[in-house]
Amino acid sequence: MTRVKTAVRPNTPVDLLRAAFVILLAAAALLAAQVQRLPAQAVPGSFADLAQRLSPAVVNITTTTVIATDQGISPMVPEGSPLEDFFRDFLDRQGPQQRERRGSALGSGFVISADGYIVTNNHVIESADEILVEFFDGLGELPAEVVGTDPRTDIALLKVEPNQPLPFVPFGDSDGARVGDWVLAIGNPLGQGFSVSAGIISARNRSLQGAYDDFIQTDAAINRGNSGGPLFNMAGEVIGVNTAILSPNGGSIGIGFAMSSSVVTRVVDQLKEFGETRRGWLGVSIQNVTPDVAEAMGLDSAAGALVTDVPPGPAMDAGILVGDVILNFAGQDVADTRELVRMVGNTDVGSVARVVVFRDGGTQTLRVTLGRREEAEANYQPGGGGAPDLPQVPETVLGMTLSALTPELRAELGLPEDERGVAITEMDETSEAFDKGLRPGDVIAEIGQQPVSTPQDVAARFSDAAEAGRRSVLMLVRRDGQPRFVALTPQG
């Protein structure tokens, strides 16, 4: 038996380089394989399984409203005509001409509990005399009763009485949704019956017109009839309620809006428990802090909510003053007025919140016991206060012709007797004051957070500010009883 000896050579630089190259190629191939798998994981091959699982919990909603019609067509007979009595007798024999017709509307909704609670849009069922809920796949129809509505967020909660447990869907966390995530919309577009459309989240935190708006924007097809239907994430959770579209022609162009579940769940919980919403109320009128206002007040940045009025209520009881800037509410920094309104509205009525305000160049922390917004809104009336009437000679300051509030001027401007301040009677339309929205009839109540009662007070405040080298002066101005702050540049 012959043995063959093999020589073992030590690794040369070329060998090492070749081995390193092979390892690099293997790593690159592995990375490429992982990258190729990512789209397969992110983009579902089909939405069929998800649609099949979720559709039984989505419903069509049909509403009926009784609408009174006009008297109808009456013959035109000249007064004094021989036929006048004939036609009057004929119409009297016909009886009342007013008739009623029944109008109907279509929308969507979804079941959130086995015992028959259903969420939809308020505008779908508003003023309806009868509401019918049609279930998926031939499960029949049931009449529904309105548990409660919230026009501010356009949400309504209905209740049906089923003979057996209903399939339902859970809410998901809309705050965890990201722009670019896949979403699925199911509903009843244009009365065509159950329909599914898919798309992505195009944007978040959209505001259309309400103080409590927090819309998810999506390019999933949403049309009339989809209103009130659910917007699902890929886990089959409801993260939005389809509410509105932006369209020049009434049809979907890929810009739809769904109220986020972070808003809807709180509203639904309150409607289910109380039949109405119960939002926290601070009791202040506020405006955003602009850069010039921030500079005038000595704030480091244009953030927070500037208090323009404090009627009797929780804020007044806690010591909040006109001119305070609310920087923090209940441990959360306040970016602007919209954010503060949402923070307060989401806080329980009767709870105590710590409020940090900026005042006189420093911060103070106050404790406020919140009231209920719904109870306070109807009773809110802004008021004024200040010095007694002191008739003075008109004076022009920074393009504004100013006059003291005499009884005659109050009557001319339609101002209440307790309105205090200095009225703007004429304006230079090329002035900074005009550019910032001031108009004749506005009343300057305060300058530099101090009340003014004469045109000379106003002139003196601006003169003092110019001598002190200040670049802006803050004024509290009222129009039709509504207060706001305006910052103007003093002139030396």
Side-chain angles (χ1 to χ4, degrees):
M1 179 174 172
T2 305
R3 294 183 179 179
V4 178
K5 294 182 179 181
T6 58
V8 179
R9 295 184 302 169
N11 291 330
T12 65
V14 174
D15 294 329
L16 293 176
L17 184 61
R18 185 180 293 111
F21 183 68
V22 171
I23 294 173
L24 183 61
L25 285 177
L30 179 61
L31 180 60
Q34 291 176 340
V35 170
Q36 289 175 356
R37 281 199 297 269
L38 283 177
Q41 294 171 350
V43 182
S46 170
F47 295 100
D49 290 341
L50 193 60
Q52 185 177 12
R53 175 163 63 90
L54 300 176
S55 292
V58 182
V59 299
N60 292 344
I61 296 177
T62 305
T63 64
T64 305
T65 305
V66 176
I67 304 172
T69 62
D70 295 334
Q71 293 287 337
I73 300 175
S74 298
M76 300 296 294
V77 182
E79 186 175 357
S81 167
L83 297 176
E84 184 177 10
D85 291 338
F86 169 78
F87 277 110
R88 183 183 298 112
D89 293 341
F90 173 77
L91 293 174
D92 287 343
R93 289 196 301 271
Q94 296 300 309
Q97 297 298 303
Q98 187 169 11
R99 299 179 180 178
E100 293 182 342
R101 65 182 179 86
R102 300 181 72 82
S104 62
L106 299 173
S108 305
F110 56 98
V111 184
I112 61 169
S113 65
D115 57 348
Y117 282 98
I118 295 170
V119 173
T120 187
N121 280 146
N122 175 62
H123 75 259
V124 170
I125 54 90
E126 191 172 21
S127 303
D129 297 305
E130 183 181 36
I131 304 171
L132 286 177
V133 175
E134 178 190 359
F135 293 89
F136 179 77
D137 201 20
L139 295 179
E141 280 186 342
L142 287 175
E145 297 293 332
V146 177
V147 176
T149 64
D150 180 31
R152 287 184 175 275
T153 57
D154 199 11
I155 294 299
L157 182 65
L158 310 179
K159 182 69 168 65
V160 297
E161 299 298 335
N163 296 323
Q164 58 186 9
L166 296 175
F168 63 94
V169 287
F171 283 106
D173 179 17
S174 59
D175 291 337
R178 299 183 303 163
V179 173
D181 282 349
W182 283 96
V183 287
L184 203 68
I186 305 180
N188 179 26
L190 304 175
Q192 295 302 303
F194 292 93
S195 179
V196 178
S197 59
I200 63 168
I201 295 176
S202 305
R204 285 195 49 210
N205 304 123
R206 292 295 200 202
S207 177
L208 299 184
Q209 60 182 7
Y212 302 100
D213 286 0
D214 183 12
F215 283 102
I216 296 171
Q217 181 184 327
T218 178
D219 65 354
I222 296 174
N223 287 284
R224 292 173 181 170
N226 275 115
S227 291
L231 187 71
F232 291 104
N233 60 19
M234 291 299 96
E237 300 167 330
V238 179
I239 59 169
V241 178
N242 300 321
T243 301
I245 61 173
L246 182 61
S247 172
N249 55 22
S252 174
I253 59 171
I255 306 177
F257 300 94
M259 184 63 75
S260 66
S261 61
S262 61
V263 173
V264 176
T265 50
R266 183 173 181 83
V267 170
V268 167
D269 288 345
Q270 291 189 345
L271 295 180
K272 191 173 182 179
E273 183 175 358
F274 306 113
E276 58 188 359
T277 55
R278 297 188 177 184
R279 293 188 171 95
W281 178 60
L282 186 58
V284 291
S285 294
I286 51 178
Q287 71 177 62
N288 286 329
V289 178
T290 58
D292 54 353
V293 168
E295 183 179 343
M297 300 188 71
L299 283 165
D300 293 334
S301 62
L306 176 56
V307 178
T308 60
D309 195 20
V310 187
M316 178 179 287
D317 295 342
I320 294 178
L321 304 176
V322 171
D324 286 349
V325 178
I326 299 175
L327 301 176
N328 186 283
F329 177 83
Q332 302 179 70
D333 289 338
V334 176
D336 52 28
T337 55
R338 178 172 174 260
E339 191 168 283
L340 178 61
V341 170
R342 289 187 56 196
M343 289 177 181
V344 174
N346 289 335
T347 305
D348 292 337
V349 175
S351 62
V352 178
R354 292 182 180 272
V355 179
V356 179
V357 301
F358 180 86
R359 180 190 300 172
D360 298 330
T363 59
Q364 297 185 28
T365 300
L366 307 171
R367 293 170 61 87
V368 183
T369 302
L370 297 184
R372 184 184 172 200
R373 184 183 183 96
E374 291 83 356
E375 293 178 353
E377 280 180 328
N379 300 323
Y380 171 68
Q381 291 292 336
D389 296 326
L390 293 173
Q392 299 287 336
V393 177
E395 186 161 338
T396 300
V397 179
L398 300 180
M400 303 177 291
T401 301
L402 307 174
S403 296
L405 286 178
T406 63
E408 295 77 16
L409 186 54
R410 281 194 182 87
E412 180 182 340
L413 297 178
L415 300 174
E417 293 183 2
D418 62 351
E419 185 76 63
R420 305 298 179 190
V422 179
I424 302 174
T425 56
E426 296 180 15
M427 292 283 302
D428 178 358
E429 295 188 5
T430 64
S431 65
E432 179 192 15
F434 188 88
D435 289 342
K436 291 194 172 179
L438 295 179
R439 296 293 183 269
D442 290 350
V443 176
I444 302 172
E446 295 180 3
I447 295 181
Q449 298 180 269
Q450 297 297 321
V452 291
S453 56
T454 70
Q456 288 70 34
D457 286 344
V458 178
R461 298 285 168 79
F462 278 103
S463 178
D464 292 345
E467 291 178 4
R470 297 179 61 187
R471 290 187 292 179
S472 58
V473 174
L474 198 64
M475 302 194 311
L476 177 63
V477 181
R478 295 184 188 275
R479 178 183 299 168
D480 298 328
Q482 298 299 318
R484 69 186 183 102
F485 281 99
V486 177
L488 295 181
T489 304
Q491 297 175 351

